[in-house]
Structure formats: C-alpha cells, structure tokens
Amino acid sequence: MNLIGGAIENAEQIGSALWTSKNKMSIEQFVAELSRCFGISTFMAGQVAADLTYTGADVDDLFTYAPIGPGSSRGLNYLYGKAPFATWRQKEFGSKLRDINGQIIEKLQITGLTLHDVQNCMCEYSKYCRAVLGEGKPKSTYQPETEF
C-alpha cells in the first residue's frame, strides 16, 4: 500500500484541519487529522506540522502544543525519574513541556522556543541519558570542524 496515498485521498480534510480560520494554523488539529492516515503516526504528523510552521503562517498553538514523540517521552521519563518507557497522556506531556520551557526562559534567558523545540530538546536529552547510563550508544559522534 502506498503510505502517502491516504494523505492524498484525505487532502481536503487535512487541509481544512490545518487552517482553523483564514490565516490561523492549528498544529494539534492538523496532527490529529494527518495521523488518521494509514502509516502516519502522531509523531510523524507532528514533524510535518513543525515543518509547516516555517511557512510564516500564524499558528494558534505553536507555544502550547507538541505531539508526544518516543524520544521526548523517554527524555521526560528520565527527567522526572520514571521508567524509560512509561507512557504519557497528551495533556500532561504538554504541561510538562510548558513547565520546562518556563524554566528555560527563567534560568537560561532563552526565549522564543516553540513547544516542538522543547520536545526536540527532550529527545536529545533522552539520547544523552541513554549514553551516560550505558543503555545505548549514540548513532554518531560529534566531529568538530577544524578547517577554519
């Protein structure tokens, strides 16, 4: 089966879910609609939605919604002392990411991170924890550029 076929067949519904009004985009609604297509998880739909936010569209929930991803979920679990594969409910997941974003703003003075950016940070934190705790190895190591 062609995985993109479901998205193409449902393009009208997906498009209407993306734009809640003339110039407003809803990541949460778009993710919900796109992830109904065969073979597209909420995580993958969220990646597509995150890419679409770079079009300059006015997004309703850019700082309040990010879909649960496997790495970010594990990152939150490490941070909050839960078992690595404990599950999260979307509402609690978003709340924790917003709390973390608040701490980033307060303690690091870094502003402007979207909730998806914070979700990505938690994914990277998960990779770091797995390496430090000996639960996995990084797929690649950082190689600094030395030609400059």
Side-chain angles (χ1 to χ4, degrees), residues 7-19:
I8 292 169
E9 291 169 11
N10 296 303
E12 189 172 318
Q13 297 96 310
I14 294 167
S16 64
L18 175 60
W19 303 105

PDB file of all heavy atoms in Angstrom, residues 7-19:
ATOM      1  N   ALA A   7      -2.922  10.166   2.702  1.00  0.00           N
ATOM      2  CA  ALA A   7      -2.853  11.621   2.875  1.00  0.00           C
ATOM      3  C   ALA A   7      -3.384  12.330   1.641  1.00  0.00           C
ATOM      4  O   ALA A   7      -4.083  13.338   1.749  1.00  0.00           O
ATOM      5  CB  ALA A   7      -1.422  12.051   3.177  1.00  0.00           C
ATOM      6  N   ILE A   8      -3.066  11.795   0.471  1.00  0.00           N
ATOM      7  CA  ILE A   8      -3.547  12.410  -0.767  1.00  0.00           C
ATOM      8  C   ILE A   8      -5.062  12.281  -0.864  1.00  0.00           C
ATOM      9  O   ILE A   8      -5.762  13.232  -1.199  1.00  0.00           O
ATOM     10  CB  ILE A   8      -2.841  11.779  -1.990  1.00  0.00           C
ATOM     11  CG1 ILE A   8      -1.362  12.173  -1.973  1.00  0.00           C
ATOM     12  CG2 ILE A   8      -3.516  12.208  -3.291  1.00  0.00           C
ATOM     13  CD1 ILE A   8      -0.512  11.416  -2.964  1.00  0.00           C
ATOM     14  N   GLU A   9      -5.580  11.103  -0.553  1.00  0.00           N
ATOM     15  CA  GLU A   9      -7.030  10.881  -0.607  1.00  0.00           C
ATOM     16  C   GLU A   9      -7.785  11.776   0.370  1.00  0.00           C
ATOM     17  O   GLU A   9      -8.926  12.150   0.128  1.00  0.00           O
ATOM     18  CB  GLU A   9      -7.342   9.411  -0.293  1.00  0.00           C
ATOM     19  CG  GLU A   9      -6.899   8.457  -1.371  1.00  0.00           C
ATOM     20  CD  GLU A   9      -6.983   7.005  -0.932  1.00  0.00           C
ATOM     21  OE1 GLU A   9      -7.570   6.716   0.132  1.00  0.00           O
ATOM     22  OE2 GLU A   9      -6.439   6.155  -1.653  1.00  0.00           O
ATOM     23  N   ASN A  10      -7.148  12.123   1.480  1.00  0.00           N
ATOM     24  CA  ASN A  10      -7.798  12.937   2.513  1.00  0.00           C
ATOM     25  C   ASN A  10      -7.271  14.365   2.550  1.00  0.00           C
ATOM     26  O   ASN A  10      -7.397  15.049   3.567  1.00  0.00           O
ATOM     27  CB  ASN A  10      -7.606  12.279   3.884  1.00  0.00           C
ATOM     28  CG  ASN A  10      -8.293  10.940   3.958  1.00  0.00           C
ATOM     29  OD1 ASN A  10      -9.492  10.862   3.738  1.00  0.00           O
ATOM     30  ND2 ASN A  10      -7.540   9.893   4.228  1.00  0.00           N
ATOM     31  N   ALA A  11      -6.702  14.818   1.446  1.00  0.00           N
ATOM     32  CA  ALA A  11      -6.065  16.143   1.411  1.00  0.00           C
ATOM     33  C   ALA A  11      -7.020  17.260   1.804  1.00  0.00           C
ATOM     34  O   ALA A  11      -6.638  18.198   2.508  1.00  0.00           O
ATOM     35  CB  ALA A  11      -5.473  16.398   0.027  1.00  0.00           C
ATOM     36  N   GLU A  12      -8.265  17.167   1.381  1.00  0.00           N
ATOM     37  CA  GLU A  12      -9.213  18.243   1.687  1.00  0.00           C
ATOM     38  C   GLU A  12      -9.463  18.338   3.193  1.00  0.00           C
ATOM     39  O   GLU A  12      -9.430  19.422   3.773  1.00  0.00           O
ATOM     40  CB  GLU A  12     -10.528  18.016   0.943  1.00  0.00           C
ATOM     41  CG  GLU A  12     -11.460  19.207   1.040  1.00  0.00           C
ATOM     42  CD  GLU A  12     -12.674  19.033   0.144  1.00  0.00           C
ATOM     43  OE1 GLU A  12     -12.524  18.566  -0.994  1.00  0.00           O
ATOM     44  OE2 GLU A  12     -13.765  19.380   0.618  1.00  0.00           O
ATOM     45  N   GLN A  13      -9.688  17.200   3.847  1.00  0.00           N
ATOM     46  CA  GLN A  13      -9.933  17.202   5.288  1.00  0.00           C
ATOM     47  C   GLN A  13      -8.680  17.642   6.049  1.00  0.00           C
ATOM     48  O   GLN A  13      -8.767  18.379   7.031  1.00  0.00           O
ATOM     49  CB  GLN A  13     -10.353  15.812   5.789  1.00  0.00           C
ATOM     50  CG  GLN A  13     -11.645  15.310   5.216  1.00  0.00           C
ATOM     51  CD  GLN A  13     -11.399  14.401   4.013  1.00  0.00           C
ATOM     52  OE1 GLN A  13     -10.662  14.757   3.096  1.00  0.00           O
ATOM     53  NE2 GLN A  13     -12.032  13.259   4.014  1.00  0.00           N
ATOM     54  N   ILE A  14      -7.524  17.170   5.592  1.00  0.00           N
ATOM     55  CA  ILE A  14      -6.274  17.535   6.253  1.00  0.00           C
ATOM     56  C   ILE A  14      -6.033  19.029   6.118  1.00  0.00           C
ATOM     57  O   ILE A  14      -5.673  19.711   7.072  1.00  0.00           O
ATOM     58  CB  ILE A  14      -5.095  16.723   5.690  1.00  0.00           C
ATOM     59  CG1 ILE A  14      -5.271  15.238   6.044  1.00  0.00           C
ATOM     60  CG2 ILE A  14      -3.764  17.254   6.200  1.00  0.00           C
ATOM     61  CD1 ILE A  14      -4.359  14.306   5.287  1.00  0.00           C
ATOM     62  N   GLY A  15      -6.277  19.547   4.931  1.00  0.00           N
ATOM     63  CA  GLY A  15      -6.097  20.976   4.699  1.00  0.00           C
ATOM     64  C   GLY A  15      -7.023  21.813   5.542  1.00  0.00           C
ATOM     65  O   GLY A  15      -6.616  22.836   6.115  1.00  0.00           O
ATOM     66  N   SER A  16      -8.275  21.392   5.677  1.00  0.00           N
ATOM     67  CA  SER A  16      -9.207  22.174   6.493  1.00  0.00           C
ATOM     68  C   SER A  16      -8.852  22.071   7.973  1.00  0.00           C
ATOM     69  O   SER A  16      -9.096  22.999   8.733  1.00  0.00           O
ATOM     70  CB  SER A  16     -10.646  21.744   6.243  1.00  0.00           C
ATOM     71  OG  SER A  16     -10.851  20.417   6.655  1.00  0.00           O
ATOM     72  N   ALA A  17      -8.260  20.955   8.384  1.00  0.00           N
ATOM     73  CA  ALA A  17      -7.820  20.833   9.773  1.00  0.00           C
ATOM     74  C   ALA A  17      -6.609  21.718  10.035  1.00  0.00           C
ATOM     75  O   ALA A  17      -6.427  22.241  11.127  1.00  0.00           O
ATOM     76  CB  ALA A  17      -7.475  19.380  10.102  1.00  0.00           C
ATOM     77  N   LEU A  18      -5.780  21.898   9.029  1.00  0.00           N
ATOM     78  CA  LEU A  18      -4.582  22.720   9.177  1.00  0.00           C
ATOM     79  C   LEU A  18      -4.936  24.179   9.419  1.00  0.00           C
ATOM     80  O   LEU A  18      -4.376  24.832  10.278  1.00  0.00           O
ATOM     81  CB  LEU A  18      -3.713  22.588   7.925  1.00  0.00           C
ATOM     82  CG  LEU A  18      -2.466  23.456   7.833  1.00  0.00           C
ATOM     83  CD1 LEU A  18      -1.526  23.154   8.969  1.00  0.00           C
ATOM     84  CD2 LEU A  18      -1.773  23.224   6.500  1.00  0.00           C
ATOM     85  N   TRP A  19      -5.888  24.665   8.682  1.00  0.00           N
ATOM     86  CA  TRP A  19      -6.243  26.080   8.787  1.00  0.00           C
ATOM     87  C   TRP A  19      -7.580  26.218   9.506  1.00  0.00           C
ATOM     88  O   TRP A  19      -8.619  25.902   8.975  1.00  0.00           O
ATOM     89  CB  TRP A  19      -6.323  26.709   7.402  1.00  0.00           C
ATOM     90  CG  TRP A  19      -5.043  26.537   6.666  1.00  0.00           C
ATOM     91  CD1 TRP A  19      -4.810  25.660   5.644  1.00  0.00           C
ATOM     92  CD2 TRP A  19      -3.810  27.195   6.904  1.00  0.00           C
ATOM     93  NE1 TRP A  19      -3.503  25.758   5.245  1.00  0.00           N
ATOM     94  CE2 TRP A  19      -2.867  26.686   5.992  1.00  0.00           C
ATOM     95  CE3 TRP A  19      -3.401  28.180   7.799  1.00  0.00           C
ATOM     96  CZ2 TRP A  19      -1.545  27.126   5.945  1.00  0.00           C
ATOM     97  CZ3 TRP A  19      -2.083  28.613   7.760  1.00  0.00           C
ATOM     98  CH2 TRP A  19      -1.187  28.089   6.850  1.00  0.00           C
TER      99      TRP A  19
END
